[in-house]
Amino acid sequence: LGNNGGGAGSGGSGGATLPRDEPMWIEIPEDADVPVFLNNMPNDAMVVSTDGNKSKGFYGQADRALELLLPSLGIEVGDVEEVVEFQDDPNWEHFPAIGAQLKRIASAEECICVAVCRTLGVWAVGVGMKAKARYGAAKVALVGAMVVAAAEVGDDIADFAQELPAMAEFIEDCQQSREAWLARAAE
């Protein structure tokens, strides 16, 4: 896919927005033009959109969730920044194919941030007009995508229920969202 001619700009384009604070999935077409940042990544990714105004508890638990999750997946690292990379793309200049998939869900063009964990081969997208909010959404989406990917291959993962109850509830939503998305794709 080429540039969609638009981009999120500084204020979005109006129209219907993505559902807020809930996991959803997109798939980038095989023939889409994607930047090197997503080389060797799967075509599908989790997306979380936020308006940044009302803080759900799981956003505040994302860093701790990564600290618990990474070692349970065999990644011994003290600094999350060594394993997780972020690329902010407020105007869809780098990831127009992601923007095109988001527009299939909702017409508003909102800023995106892409998070990648190359070690696990997982990536995710945070959507929001405020930079701090979309980075947080990208991190939460990446945690959810990591857990779903680990569960799909039968890996044992950290149990968040006791220490991070809001994240545990979000992870359940991620797994249900994934199952529903796969069922729709199979139709």
Side-chain angles (χ1 to χ4, degrees), residues 30-80:
E30 292 282 339
D31 61 347
D33 183 25
V34 295
V36 173
F37 189 72
L38 291 177
N39 274 2
N40 302 315
M41 291 290 121
N43 290 354
D44 58 328
M46 181 180 294
V47 177
V48 174
S49 173
T50 182
D51 60 14
N53 291 330
K54 58 179 180 179
S55 181
K56 293 275 197 176
F58 54 80
Y59 289 109
Q61 296 178 350
D63 287 327
R64 180 66 181 140
L66 281 171
E67 291 171 8
L68 295 171
L69 180 61
L70 293 175
S72 74
L73 295 172
I75 301 171
E76 296 299 330
V77 63
D79 195 354
V80 171

Side-chain angles (χ1 to χ4, degrees), residues 15-168:
T17 59
L18 294 167
R20 301 296 191 208
D21 307 314
E22 61 184 64
M24 60 200 115
W25 294 85
I26 60 169
E27 183 171 24
I28 304 301
E30 292 282 339
D31 61 347
D33 183 25
V34 295
V36 173
F37 189 72
L38 291 177
N39 274 2
N40 302 315
M41 291 290 121
N43 290 354
D44 58 328
M46 181 180 294
V47 177
V48 174
S49 173
T50 182
D51 60 14
N53 291 330
K54 58 179 180 179
S55 181
K56 293 275 197 176
F58 54 80
Y59 289 109
Q61 296 178 350
D63 287 327
R64 180 66 181 140
L66 281 171
E67 291 171 8
L68 295 171
L69 180 61
L70 293 175
S72 74
L73 295 172
I75 301 171
E76 296 299 330
V77 63
D79 195 354
V80 171
E81 286 77 27
E82 293 178 25
V83 178
V84 177
E85 299 172 64
F86 293 91
Q87 185 167 352
D88 196 31
D89 191 13
N91 297 310
W92 297 5
E93 293 171 6
H94 303 288
F95 303 103
I98 293 172
Q101 293 306 304
L102 295 176
K103 285 194 66 91
R104 294 179 63 168
I105 302 169
S107 61
E109 294 182 11
E110 298 177 274
C111 305
I112 62 175
C113 177
V114 177
V116 171
C117 177
R118 295 187 194 293
T119 306
L120 298 176
V122 176
W123 63 286
V125 181
V127 178
M129 296 311 293
K130 300 174 184 174
K132 184 177 180 181
R134 71 179 163 269
Y135 272 89
K139 190 178 294 184
V140 164
L142 189 64
V143 169
M146 288 173 161
V147 171
V148 167
E152 287 179 350
V153 297
D155 285 347
D156 288 330
I157 53 172
D159 181 10
F160 301 123
Q162 189 160 356
E163 185 176 345
L164 307 172
M167 183 59 72

